[in-house]
Amino acid sequence: MKEIKIETTLQVFDDLSELPKEVENLMRKAKKAREKAYAPYSNFYVGVAIRLDNQEIITGSNQENASYPSGLCAERTAIYYAGAKYPENKMLTMAIIAGSKTNKTSSPIPPCGACRQAIAEYEVKQNSPIEIYFMGETGKIAKSDSLANLLPLVFDKSAL
Ligand code: THU
């Protein structure tokens, strides 16, 4: 038997002004997109902005449904739209801002497991990392250089 230790590294920025200008701008677009979230059931609002290598910015927000599992997270709304509209382009950076209307949070909110799996698919497809910045309603912003940091032991096409 041997033990395998998995480590991950994130960077943490104190506030938006500490981010590179381009990323600060992307996070502001995510914040704007969050206003369009449709979340009457959870009251949890998420906005996403993705910058592509053609400099297009794709935004998305969570879209809920009375049949709860039919709704979709903001990250997948945005990433599937980017994949559908610009299949030849690489995704460079994703900015995520999330928070509940009822329970204000100031700590960074990472993407859920299902969204990590969806983002991982595009990292594998484009064979280059997607930077992920995520934050709560306010406060610090966490950065992962690649989705792979957030999803060790990924399941991908190499297993098929
Ligand atoms: N949600 C997202 O949009 N992204 C995540 O990564 C976590 C959860 C949404 C789904 C649902 O509309 C609400 O937040 C509460 O789970």
Side-chain angles (χ1 to χ4, degrees), residues 35-72:
E35 290 167 15
K36 295 185 178 148
Y38 175 60
Y41 304 106
S42 71
N43 282 318
F44 191 80
Y45 291 74
V46 187
V48 167
I50 304 173
R51 191 166 62 83
L52 307 181
D53 66 356
N54 61 358
Q55 299 314 318
E56 284 289 334
I57 291 176
I58 302 297
T59 59
S61 57
N62 53 324
Q63 300 294 314
E64 296 188 348
N65 193 285
S67 171
Y68 293 0
S70 299
L72 196 63

XYZ file of all heavy atoms in Angstrom, residues 35-72:
295
model
N -27.382 39.829 -12.200
C -28.669 40.511 -12.047
C -29.751 39.829 -12.878
O -30.937 40.021 -12.657
C -28.539 41.983 -12.478
C -27.708 42.806 -11.510
C -27.309 44.164 -12.074
O -27.903 44.598 -13.103
O -26.392 44.794 -11.505
N -29.324 39.046 -13.867
C -30.300 38.388 -14.740
C -30.582 36.949 -14.306
O -31.281 36.215 -14.995
C -29.796 38.412 -16.180
C -29.704 39.820 -16.723
C -29.331 39.836 -18.185
C -29.303 41.268 -18.682
N -28.326 41.498 -19.708
N -29.996 36.548 -13.185
C -30.266 35.186 -12.697
C -31.763 35.038 -12.448
O -32.446 35.993 -12.063
C -29.493 34.935 -11.403
N -32.254 33.843 -12.703
C -33.661 33.534 -12.412
C -33.635 32.494 -11.303
O -33.388 31.314 -11.566
C -34.333 33.000 -13.681
C -35.752 32.535 -13.460
C -36.734 33.414 -12.985
C -36.117 31.220 -13.728
C -38.034 32.993 -12.771
C -37.420 30.786 -13.525
C -38.368 31.679 -13.044
O -39.646 31.246 -12.838
N -33.773 32.956 -10.080
C -33.580 32.064 -8.940
C -34.676 32.252 -7.886
O -34.401 32.526 -6.712
C -32.201 32.295 -8.329
N -35.951 32.110 -8.300
C -37.039 32.356 -7.353
C -37.151 31.281 -6.281
O -37.806 31.498 -5.265
C -38.284 32.355 -8.254
C -37.917 31.486 -9.405
C -36.449 31.705 -9.625
N -36.546 30.126 -6.502
C -36.701 29.023 -5.540
C -35.612 29.029 -4.479
O -35.884 28.828 -3.300
C -36.767 27.681 -6.291
C -37.878 27.716 -7.319
C -37.597 27.819 -8.679
C -39.208 27.728 -6.913
C -38.617 27.925 -9.615
C -40.237 27.840 -7.846
C -39.937 27.934 -9.188
O -40.951 28.058 -10.097
N -34.387 29.265 -4.901
C -33.283 29.222 -3.933
C -32.917 30.608 -3.407
O -32.263 30.715 -2.363
C -32.040 28.603 -4.582
O -31.489 29.509 -5.528
N -33.262 31.638 -4.181
C -32.796 32.993 -3.845
C -31.276 33.082 -3.810
O -30.711 33.954 -3.144
C -33.366 33.484 -2.514
C -34.789 33.941 -2.673
O -35.116 34.610 -3.652
N -35.648 33.541 -1.751
N -30.633 32.174 -4.509
C -29.168 32.172 -4.587
C -28.804 32.586 -6.015
O -29.194 31.926 -6.981
C -28.635 30.773 -4.260
C -27.154 30.728 -4.056
C -26.589 31.116 -2.843
C -26.311 30.286 -5.070
C -25.217 31.078 -2.646
C -24.936 30.241 -4.883
C -24.391 30.635 -3.672
N -28.091 33.684 -6.127
C -27.865 34.303 -7.443
C -26.400 34.178 -7.853
O -25.510 34.531 -7.092
C -28.282 35.779 -7.402
C -29.782 35.937 -7.268
C -30.422 35.684 -6.054
C -30.564 36.292 -8.364
C -31.808 35.789 -5.936
C -31.941 36.407 -8.258
C -32.551 36.145 -7.039
O -33.915 36.242 -6.929
N -26.193 33.677 -9.055
C -24.826 33.444 -9.530
C -24.662 34.074 -10.917
O -25.539 33.934 -11.776
C -24.519 31.922 -9.611
C -23.049 31.696 -9.939
C -24.894 31.210 -8.317
N -23.538 34.755 -11.100
C -23.228 35.338 -12.410
C -21.845 34.897 -12.846
O -20.944 34.716 -12.013
N -21.696 34.714 -14.148
C -20.429 34.219 -14.702
C -20.080 35.016 -15.954
O -20.969 35.388 -16.727
C -20.564 32.713 -15.071
C -19.416 32.245 -15.933
C -20.649 31.864 -13.806
N -18.797 35.264 -16.134
C -18.318 35.832 -17.403
C -17.076 35.049 -17.826
O -16.210 34.755 -16.994
C -17.992 37.319 -17.238
N -17.042 34.699 -19.096
C -15.915 33.928 -19.638
C -15.270 34.721 -20.769
O -15.966 35.157 -21.700
C -16.393 32.561 -20.211
C -17.136 31.762 -19.155
C -15.214 31.761 -20.774
C -17.793 30.475 -19.690
N -13.951 34.894 -20.672
C -13.227 35.574 -21.762
C -12.603 34.521 -22.668
O -11.956 33.579 -22.205
C -12.150 36.505 -21.209
C -11.564 37.430 -22.285
C -10.777 38.552 -21.644
N -9.646 38.033 -20.891
C -8.473 37.715 -21.446
N -8.255 37.883 -22.732
N -7.496 37.242 -20.683
N -12.842 34.688 -23.966
C -12.317 33.740 -24.955
C -11.065 34.312 -25.614
O -10.780 35.510 -25.510
C -13.373 33.473 -26.043
C -14.766 33.038 -25.576
C -15.662 32.801 -26.786
C -14.703 31.785 -24.720
N -10.364 33.458 -26.354
C -9.122 33.933 -26.986
C -9.377 34.837 -28.192
O -8.434 35.371 -28.769
C -8.186 32.762 -27.335
C -8.755 31.856 -28.413
O -9.910 32.062 -28.852
O -8.035 30.923 -28.830
N -10.645 34.988 -28.588
C -10.950 35.981 -29.629
C -11.444 37.280 -28.985
O -12.016 38.145 -29.649
C -12.005 35.441 -30.596
C -13.324 35.113 -29.897
O -13.437 35.256 -28.674
N -14.304 34.673 -30.650
N -11.254 37.345 -27.645
C -11.623 38.519 -26.824
C -13.124 38.694 -26.634
O -13.564 39.679 -26.029
C -10.982 39.828 -27.356
C -9.465 39.813 -27.364
C -8.830 39.285 -26.063
O -9.264 39.613 -24.967
N -7.815 38.431 -26.192
N -13.909 37.729 -27.133
C -15.350 37.767 -26.836
C -15.543 37.472 -25.344
O -14.775 36.691 -24.758
C -16.091 36.689 -27.640
C -16.289 37.012 -29.098
C -17.311 38.119 -29.342
O -18.208 38.326 -28.508
O -17.187 38.782 -30.389
N -16.578 38.059 -24.772
C -16.920 37.731 -23.387
C -18.340 37.162 -23.363
O -19.290 37.802 -23.842
C -16.800 38.968 -22.481
C -15.306 39.333 -22.369
C -17.380 38.686 -21.098
C -14.992 40.577 -21.600
N -18.440 35.958 -22.850
C -19.735 35.271 -22.753
C -20.178 35.326 -21.297
O -19.388 35.029 -20.396
C -19.590 33.787 -23.173
C -19.034 33.652 -24.595
C -20.907 33.037 -23.017
C -19.899 34.229 -25.668
N -21.425 35.695 -21.076
C -21.907 35.748 -19.691
C -23.065 34.769 -19.495
O -23.703 34.340 -20.461
C -22.377 37.169 -19.308
O -23.425 37.557 -20.191
C -21.243 38.163 -19.381
N -23.325 34.454 -18.247
C -24.440 33.560 -17.931
C -24.852 33.733 -16.483
O -24.119 34.327 -15.676
N -26.018 33.209 -16.165
C -26.518 33.257 -14.783
C -27.340 31.999 -14.546
O -27.741 31.329 -15.496
C -27.374 34.511 -14.590
O -28.436 34.524 -15.527
N -27.576 31.687 -13.274
C -28.344 30.464 -13.015
C -29.811 30.650 -13.385
O -30.390 31.732 -13.205
C -28.171 29.968 -11.573
C -28.445 31.006 -10.504
O -28.139 32.176 -10.679
N -29.027 30.578 -9.407
N -30.383 29.595 -13.909
C -31.753 29.602 -14.401
C -32.484 28.434 -13.755
O -32.188 27.277 -14.044
C -31.763 29.471 -15.939
C -31.031 30.604 -16.659
C -31.707 31.963 -16.481
O -32.920 32.079 -16.615
N -30.919 32.985 -16.178
N -33.412 28.767 -12.880
C -34.096 27.703 -12.115
C -35.411 27.297 -12.763
O -35.880 27.912 -13.717
C -34.294 28.185 -10.665
C -32.956 28.405 -9.985
C -33.051 28.702 -8.497
O -34.170 28.966 -7.975
O -31.985 28.658 -7.842
N -35.967 26.224 -12.221
C -37.192 25.663 -12.785
C -38.041 25.094 -11.643
O -37.490 24.565 -10.678
C -36.808 24.550 -13.764
C -37.969 24.121 -14.633
O -38.873 23.434 -14.176
N -37.958 24.541 -15.871
N -39.363 25.166 -11.813
C -40.272 24.603 -10.802
C -39.987 23.121 -10.596
O -40.162 22.583 -9.509
C -41.713 24.817 -11.233
N -39.555 22.470 -11.670
C -39.050 21.104 -11.547
C -37.557 21.250 -11.259
O -36.742 21.398 -12.181
C -39.301 20.346 -12.851
O -38.635 19.116 -12.805
N -37.185 21.299 -10.006
C -35.861 21.768 -9.573
C -34.671 21.261 -10.400
O -33.817 22.043 -10.802
C -35.628 21.457 -8.090
C -36.514 22.217 -7.120
C -37.465 23.139 -7.561
C -36.405 22.002 -5.760
C -38.286 23.811 -6.665
C -37.225 22.687 -4.854
C -38.156 23.588 -5.324
O -38.962 24.260 -4.436
N -34.570 19.947 -10.662
C -33.361 19.484 -11.373
C -33.275 19.971 -12.820
O -32.225 19.829 -13.450
C -33.492 17.946 -11.337
C -34.527 17.650 -10.315
C -35.440 18.831 -10.283
N -34.374 20.527 -13.335
C -34.329 21.028 -14.715
C -33.615 22.374 -14.822
O -33.294 22.824 -15.917
C -35.746 21.175 -15.289
O -36.377 19.933 -15.299
N -33.387 23.030 -13.714
C -32.660 24.301 -13.738
C -31.185 24.071 -14.044
O -30.714 22.930 -14.090
N -30.467 25.162 -14.297
C -29.043 25.018 -14.617
C -28.223 26.097 -13.922
O -28.644 27.255 -13.834
C -28.829 25.101 -16.131
C -27.465 24.589 -16.630
C -27.279 23.106 -16.333
C -27.297 24.835 -18.118
